[in-house]
Amino acid sequence: MVTAVRHLGPNWYASVMGTAIVATAGAGLPLHLPGLRTACTAVWALSLAMLLALLAARTLHWTHHRDQARAHLLDPAMAPFYGCLAMALLAVGGGTLVVGRDWIGLRAAVALDAVLFGAGTLIGLTAAVAVPYLMAVRHHVHPAQATPVWLLPVVAPMVSAALGPLLVPHLPAGQPRETLLLACFAMFGLSLLATLLMLPLVFARLVTGGPLPLALTPTLFLVLGPLGQSTTAVGKFAEFAPGVVPAADAQAFSLLAVLYGVPVMGFALLWLGLATAHVVRARRHGMRFTMTWWAFTFPVGTCVTGAESLSHHTGLAVCDGLAIALYGVLVAAWVTAAVHTVRGLLSGELLAGPRPAPVALRPVTARTT
């Protein structure tokens, strides 16, 4: 077991995020299908079990393979995935209040979410500072190396912003509630502005440098994360602001939910089409399964919750249809990634170390006499 986790990187937390969002997004659908909520609760329970197992495995990794753990921190391709740890904690915690309370009770759900939200937010804010710092002073990256993976550490506070309002009603009335809500709004701004700094680098690399390597092509879907999650966040602010902040501020949050959410969701759909075209091209060129395929899940799930938020605040049937359609894409992506991951675990391929490069043979010169 100790040897098996040597190459277990923080990118594995993406599978927890992708599983948890299936439960959270499904519970908010404008549908009343028999058994849907029970199924979502079961998926949440699976995400919780995955989180606990992965935390234990990563603890073994840090305890017995510190050299490899440090190498991950100094690897510009792997270090940004430390944002996934924060988002995994937050996603499972948010799912606890949305559906998990059906099985464990409201009091236990609030306590568990409070712990996971606090830990996830602290780790997310740390990653949002530490990873860009390492990129600047230790990684020595070049513009041609820019990928959507760079967004991961700065998106984590946006997940806190979107899920933190769920805890607002469970705090004492007055300043505690208002403080948490406005702190989430501050993290919304922090993450949004940081994303606006990173995204042009990614888009410029894509346009000037050509398509990403096949294995990294699915990461184009990561751009949907801050778009869908920020739309979800402003919707949550509008939902929980009444009675917490002054009436004028609550009204402003309601306006922001629509005036911000609609255009950003429009851009998300544009990017979804662009990313899908790149993935189709990569698949035709032989793209095989890697753990980057989990990028098809959580970012799409945030667009589902964003569409659900717009449906709530606009009452438009088209938003209902968009949420349902995107949820179908999410479930299909989750099933595909989960099946391939299980196969890779059973075969041992996913936990194997990188293959050594083939040794080139020296050219043989025939002797002539």
Side-chain angles (χ1 to χ4, degrees):
M1 177 63 183
V2 172
T3 304
V5 300
R6 174 168 177 77
H7 300 284
L8 184 73
N11 56 319
W12 278 77
Y13 286 109
S15 63
V16 178
M17 298 159 51
T19 303
I21 198 71
V22 171
T24 305
L29 287 175
L31 292 174
H32 299 285
L33 297 178
L36 175 61
R37 187 171 179 87
T38 301
C40 290
T41 308
V43 173
W44 165 80
L46 174 62
S47 71
L48 177 60
M50 291 171 61
L51 176 63
L52 294 175
L54 194 51
L55 287 173
R58 287 284 296 167
T59 299
L60 287 175
H61 174 83
W62 270 95
T63 302
H64 298 280
H65 303 288
R66 292 184 181 180
D67 60 325
Q68 188 68 15
R70 293 191 184 98
H72 285 164
L73 279 174
L74 297 178
D75 183 356
M78 186 62 71
F81 283 100
Y82 273 91
C84 290
L85 167 58
M87 290 186 280
L89 294 169
L90 293 164
V92 174
T96 304
L97 272 184
V98 174
V99 292
R101 63 182 183 179
D102 293 354
W103 286 5
I104 67 174
L106 181 59
R107 178 173 296 182
V110 171
L112 179 57
D113 185 32
V115 171
L116 294 177
F117 175 79
T121 298
L122 180 60
I123 294 172
L125 292 173
T126 302
V129 174
V131 175
Y133 174 80
L134 288 174
M135 292 173 66
V137 302
R138 297 296 298 274
H139 292 168
H140 305 295
V141 294
H142 303 284
Q145 297 174 282
T147 72
V149 172
W150 288 9
L151 294 170
L152 288 173
V154 298
V155 172
M158 186 66 78
V159 181
S160 293
L163 296 176
L166 297 176
L167 286 168
V168 168
H170 304 286
L171 292 177
Q175 288 209 7
R177 293 185 181 183
E178 185 174 1
T179 299
L180 177 57
L181 186 66
L182 293 184
C184 291
F185 192 38
M187 288 188 285
F188 164 83
L190 178 160
S191 181
L192 178 62
L193 295 177
T195 298
L196 292 177
L197 290 176
M198 289 287 193
L199 191 54
L201 298 176
V202 175
F203 187 69
R205 154 65 183 85
L206 193 63
V207 172
T208 61
L212 295 176
L214 297 184
L216 288 176
T217 301
T219 64
L220 288 172
F221 275 70
L222 294 177
V223 176
L224 297 176
L227 303 176
Q229 199 68 285
S230 61
T231 302
T232 303
V234 293
K236 292 299 181 184
F237 299 153
E239 180 180 348
F240 290 96
V244 175
V245 296
D249 294 345
Q251 181 63 29
F253 276 127
S254 295
L255 290 174
L256 183 66
V258 177
L259 297 182
Y260 174 90
V262 171
V264 170
M265 185 57 66
F267 179 67
L269 294 177
L270 169 67
W271 192 272
L272 176 61
L274 176 65
T276 300
H278 275 266
V279 169
V280 170
R281 173 194 173 277
R283 190 64 172 162
R284 289 176 176 174
H285 283 73
M287 180 183 73
R288 300 181 60 188
F289 173 77
T290 64
M291 287 300 289
T292 58
W293 281 35
W294 282 99
F296 296 139
T297 57
F298 188 80
V300 174
T302 66
C303 291
V304 176
T305 57
E308 292 169 351
S309 174
L310 289 178
S311 173
H312 175 73
H313 291 287
T314 65
L316 294 177
V318 67
C319 294
D320 292 345
L322 178 61
I324 294 170
L326 289 175
Y327 189 72
V329 174
L330 169 62
V331 171
W334 181 82
V335 170
T336 302
V339 169
H340 281 84
T341 300
V342 171
R343 288 177 179 173
L345 284 173
L346 293 177
S347 67
E349 182 179 355
L350 286 180
L351 292 177
R355 297 177 180 177
V359 178
L361 298 177
R362 296 179 59 185
V364 177
T365 303
R367 174 182 290 181
T368 58
T369 57

